[in-house]
Amino acid sequence: MTHLALSRISKDFGGATVVQDFNLDVKKGEFISFLGPSGCGKTTTLRMIAGFETPTTGQIIMDDVEITNKAPNQRNVGMIFQSYALFPNMTVAQNIGFGLQIRRDSKEAIKQRVDEMLTLINLEKHANKYPYQLSGGQQQRVSLARALANRPQVLLLDEPLSALDAKIRVQLRSEIRAIQKALDITAIFVTHDQEEALSISDRIVVMYEGKVEQIGTPFEVYNFPETRFVANFVGSLNTASAEVTDPAKGLLNVGGVQFVTASEIASRKKGEAIRISIRPERFSFLSEHKKDNVLDCVIENITFLGSVVRVQVKIGGASFNMDTFNNPFLELPKIGAKEQVTCSKNAVLVLDE
Amino acid sequence: MNLTTVKKHGGKIWAWFWMILGILYFFLPLIATFLFSLRAKLNVLSFTAYQHVFNDSNFVYNFSYSVLWGVLTIIVGVLIFVPTAYLIRLKLPQFRIPVEFITMLPFVIPAIVYVFSLVRTFSQPPLLIVDSPVLLVAAYTVLSMPYMYSAIDTGLRAIDVRTLTEAGQSLGAGWGTILFRIILPNIRVAILSGAFLSFAIVIGELILAQYLVKPAFAPYMTYLIQQKAYEPAAMAIISFALTWAAMGVIQFIGRGSGGGEQSQIAGGH
């Protein structure tokens, strides 16, 4: 059953359309990420759900109640901000209890709930500290507890991890996900970090220039990008121009070399120009395992990335990146060496323009 | 000693020279006035002039009124300028420059011109309030506007007004709660600095009180200058001491601020 529905939402700012025809149904307890580059409209969409912006057209429905024009303080949504937005004049406990005070809960009820929340975020010992006495990660956990204390119907997270350093970011995102699952709360998470979105979400909404490019699970979005933008934005990707040589057999000419694809191209005409994409990790050296495409190549460059080694190869007239796991016991080929690489026909995706 | 070292030392010497010159310029008249105020008795340094001032019921009467005008001016100023500055920062940023220009007008309009226009406008029906203390407090509020408004605006600039407001809203708070429980406490030091500057202005203000014929400290001091020699000097020192005490209170409160982000003394000109 749909818990939150955004129907044909659009938003104009002074004649410029920043969100166009946005449609999304969110189930109860689902973790949805809005992923896209800066200015793609993801935060604006989140702010429309929070009530800080009013849609130019469209409807927002939460639990069968239309909230499109409700004031932010009349919607039961919790919001977490990139800058934490803790009240500097209040202690951790006062921050967490603020929303409950506004709701006029009894003192005992507030204390009990604040204690519960402090336990949830493992900051029981910091209840009487002021925000400036906490680290960034601790402040964001307090912000999470404050948002959850009111038992919101939906939790909105606006790039909550962007201001934190890399290790804390990874740790806190796991904590957020664990708490969200434990409380079975619906969450909408805005990020421009694809790794964050892929690791934390049930579904990802990829946005570009105000439009939804693709909605799908992390697996679908990463492995089966529906548009060229999604393919380029999510993960590393090789793209190349190709010409259809045999639509029925899925044969393509890429830079003078024949590739076979499992993508549906039967409806394309022979000689039609298309674009294909292949993830770097879908290539492997022929010595490992032979797949549908066996391709002669020349090693152009090798870049060491820690657990992964990125090898740039020239296949015919086109250059591709290939990712291979770093194995200290295997010798890498030399730059300029002639090798053979292979990839399956499923790896060769035809992109919609 | 190379050329760079010579230049460095020369710069330091000049910095000290200008600083000492500034200190002398400020403190010499004050020291002279203080020494003069101690000479009420022939050939003896004493606090006689100060005793005379504090024993004079007119001093207490006029000073009390000035304190009252000062407190009322601060209350009215806070009630008007905090919501205005907050609204402009949050919802109407396009009005920031025009409003800042308007708040600076008391600096360029002479007080004498201002008071005559007040008397002319409010001494005839339907706005016959020239005799009311309301007009004096309103006029003082306008006069203190550059200090009060800029102090509040500086305080608002130091916090993330928009995000704090939105955080409050998402937790169910209305505008009043946000303003009084979130915004005001976080610009407390800025408001205090504006308030004490306003207080200092009101305490020393002569023209408005004199032409609107209201009891106040400055007209009384002017009157005393015409009558006595040492007591006005003592009163000048007292007024300085009061102003400095006010500044000390700001510093003290600012140091005790729990927020940690609000330690600036804002709005000084």
Side-chain angles (χ1 to χ4, degrees):
Chain A
M1 188 186 153
T2 301
H3 179 49
L4 174 71
L6 284 87
S7 171
R8 303 194 68 90
I9 295 289
S10 66
K11 179 69 184 173
D12 295 349
F13 283 121
T17 303
V18 291
V19 178
Q20 287 181 57
D21 197 24
F22 188 103
N23 294 287
L24 178 69
D25 287 343
V26 184
K27 288 189 218 106
K28 170 95 178 94
E30 208 174 5
F31 198 113
I32 301 278
S33 289
F34 291 172
L35 175 67
S38 296
C40 72
K42 55 192 189 296
T43 295
T44 305
T45 310
L46 191 85
R47 290 173 61 80
M48 286 192 278
I49 301 169
F52 302 136
E53 306 288 350
T54 309
T56 309
T57 60
Q59 279 187 319
I60 302 170
I61 294 165
M62 201 189 303
D63 282 337
D64 297 328
V65 178
E66 191 184 340
I67 58 161
T68 317
N69 296 306
K70 269 194 178 180
N73 59 346
Q74 303 298 314
R75 307 175 184 210
N76 189 20
V77 296
M79 180 96 177
I80 297 178
F81 299 86
Q82 184 183 342
S83 58
Y84 324 131
L86 295 178
F87 306 134
N89 56 313
M90 297 182 198
T91 62
V92 166
Q94 287 168 338
N95 263 285
I96 296 173
F98 180 82
L100 305 168
Q101 277 190 337
I102 298 296
R103 242 169 37 178
R104 296 181 192 282
D105 284 9
S106 69
K107 275 189 179 176
E108 295 74 34
I110 292 173
K111 191 183 176 317
Q112 193 188 337
R113 184 69 177 155
V114 168
D115 288 346
E116 271 174 39
M117 288 293 112
L118 284 168
T119 310
L120 188 74
I121 58 166
N122 288 320
L123 286 178
E124 298 98 320
K125 289 178 187 165
H126 301 271
N128 294 317
K129 284 188 178 171
Y130 284 91
Y132 74 93
Q133 296 172 303
L134 304 176
S135 69
Q138 288 173 325
Q139 288 190 54
Q140 198 57 291
R141 273 147 69 192
V142 175
S143 174
L144 175 67
R146 183 180 67 176
L148 292 171
N150 275 19
R151 294 186 173 87
Q153 287 168 281
V154 175
L155 182 66
L156 306 175
L157 304 102
D158 186 8
E159 305 210 29
L161 308 174
S162 303
L164 302 171
D165 62 59
K167 275 201 166 178
I168 302 287
R169 206 157 53 213
V170 173
Q171 184 193 333
L172 193 54
R173 84 177 177 216
S174 305
E175 284 183 37
I176 289 173
R177 180 59 161 153
I179 289 170
Q180 180 268 336
K181 272 186 173 172
L183 300 178
D184 192 32
I185 188 167
T186 309
I188 313 259
F189 183 92
V190 162
T191 183
H192 60 263
D193 183 331
Q194 43 160 310
E195 186 195 318
E196 227 164 69
L198 291 168
S199 65
I200 204 171
S201 320
D202 289 318
R203 280 192 298 157
I204 298 174
V205 179
V206 187
M207 294 179 72
Y208 181 58
E209 293 184 341
K211 290 184 204 154
V212 172
E213 290 278 321
Q214 186 173 352
I215 300 175
T217 62
F219 184 86
E220 288 166 348
V221 167
Y222 187 84
N223 291 310
F224 305 106
E226 287 173 2
T227 68
R228 189 172 164 184
F229 172 78
V230 176
N232 271 314
F233 189 74
V234 182
S236 299
L237 193 79
N238 296 296
T239 58
S241 299
E243 185 187 309
V244 177
T245 50
D246 188 338
K249 291 182 181 165
L251 298 181
L252 307 166
N253 181 339
V254 182
V257 177
Q258 181 174 285
F259 279 62
V260 58
T261 177
S263 292
E264 178 54 57
I265 57 165
S267 57
R268 309 262 182 173
K269 287 178 194 148
K270 191 177 173 187
E272 188 179 336
I274 57 168
R275 279 193 82 77
I276 58 152
S277 73
I278 308 170
R279 295 269 180 218
E281 68 272 18
R282 300 299 299 270
F283 282 114
S284 57
F285 286 112
L286 184 61
S287 55
E288 293 169 26
H289 186 67
K290 189 179 175 183
K291 294 171 186 165
D292 307 302
N293 291 290
V294 175
L295 309 154
D296 292 328
C297 70
V298 178
I299 308 296
E300 284 190 318
N301 197 12
I302 298 174
T303 313
F304 185 69
L305 301 172
S307 60
V308 168
V309 177
R310 178 156 293 174
V311 182
Q312 190 182 323
V313 295
K314 187 138 194 166
I315 301 170
S319 282
F320 293 88
N321 283 323
M322 179 179 98
D323 283 352
T324 177
F325 282 117
N326 173 27
N327 184 343
F329 304 106
L330 282 182
E331 199 182 337
L332 287 167
K334 300 278 182 288
I335 293 171
K338 290 184 178 175
E339 292 280 341
Q340 279 192 313
V341 293
T342 182
C343 70
S344 72
K345 59 183 180 182
N346 290 324
V348 182
L349 301 174
V350 175
L351 296 175
D352 289 337
E353 290 299 318
Chain B
M1 196 183 276
N2 61 27
L3 193 62
T4 318
T5 319
V6 171
K7 272 187 181 173
K8 210 174 166 182
H9 281 279
K12 267 192 181 173
I13 289 165
W14 276 109
W16 276 104
F17 171 77
W18 288 114
M19 196 174 80
I20 291 167
L21 197 69
I23 289 169
L24 288 176
Y25 179 79
F26 181 75
F27 278 103
L28 271 185
L30 207 60
I31 292 164
T33 308
F34 178 63
L35 290 175
F36 182 73
S37 72
L38 299 177
R39 292 181 185 277
K41 276 187 180 174
L42 199 62
N43 297 330
V44 180
L45 292 179
S46 72
F47 284 98
T48 310
Y50 291 87
Q51 282 174 333
H52 289 164
V53 167
F54 285 119
N55 289 335
D56 183 0
S57 60
N58 282 328
F59 166 75
V60 177
Y61 173 78
N62 285 289
F63 189 72
S64 304
Y65 264 105
S66 271
V67 170
L68 177 68
W69 305 142
V71 170
L72 290 173
T73 301
I74 289 166
I75 293 170
V76 173
V78 168
L79 289 176
I80 292 174
F81 300 131
V82 171
T84 307
Y86 173 63
L87 195 70
I88 285 169
R89 199 146 274 282
L90 192 68
K91 298 265 182 192
L92 304 163
Q94 68 273 28
F95 288 113
R96 193 170 61 84
I97 288 170
V99 168
E100 274 177 8
F101 174 76
I102 290 166
T103 62
M104 293 299 152
L105 284 179
F107 282 145
V108 292
I109 298 172
I112 191 78
V113 173
Y114 178 50
V115 77
F116 274 115
S117 45
L118 285 178
V119 170
R120 196 175 172 78
T121 310
F122 296 107
S123 60
Q124 52 202 345
L127 293 164
L128 187 57
I129 55 165
V130 76
D131 288 332
S132 165
V134 171
L135 186 62
L136 184 70
V137 172
Y140 278 149
T141 307
V142 170
L143 210 63
S144 65
M145 186 163 64
Y147 305 99
M148 191 56 122
Y149 185 86
S150 68
I152 291 166
D153 195 45
T154 305
L156 289 172
R157 209 173 296 166
I159 59 173
D160 189 348
V161 173
R162 178 174 297 278
T163 312
L164 288 178
T165 301
E166 289 177 353
Q169 284 179 308
S170 73
L171 293 165
W175 290 110
T177 310
I178 291 167
L179 197 57
F180 286 100
R181 289 196 54 196
I182 300 171
I183 302 299
L184 261 178
N186 286 304
I187 58 166
R188 186 183 59 179
V189 177
I191 290 175
L192 275 172
S193 85
F196 284 119
L197 288 168
S198 301
F199 187 76
I201 295 290
V202 173
I203 292 287
E205 206 286 324
L206 170 70
I207 295 171
L208 288 175
Q210 199 161 35
Y211 282 90
L212 293 175
V213 202
K214 292 286 174 293
F217 180 67
Y220 171 67
M221 194 166 149
T222 315
Y223 164 77
L224 215 62
I225 287 169
Q226 290 159 4
Q227 306 293 319
K228 296 186 177 179
Y230 300 101
E231 282 76 2
M235 283 177 64
I237 296 299
I238 291 168
S239 68
F240 262 108
L242 286 170
T243 311
W244 286 353
M247 297 302 174
V249 170
I250 303 171
Q251 292 285 1
F252 179 76
I253 294 171
R255 195 179 51 183
S257 171
E261 294 178 14
Q262 297 291 309
S263 53
Q264 86 287 3
I265 300 299
H269 289 271

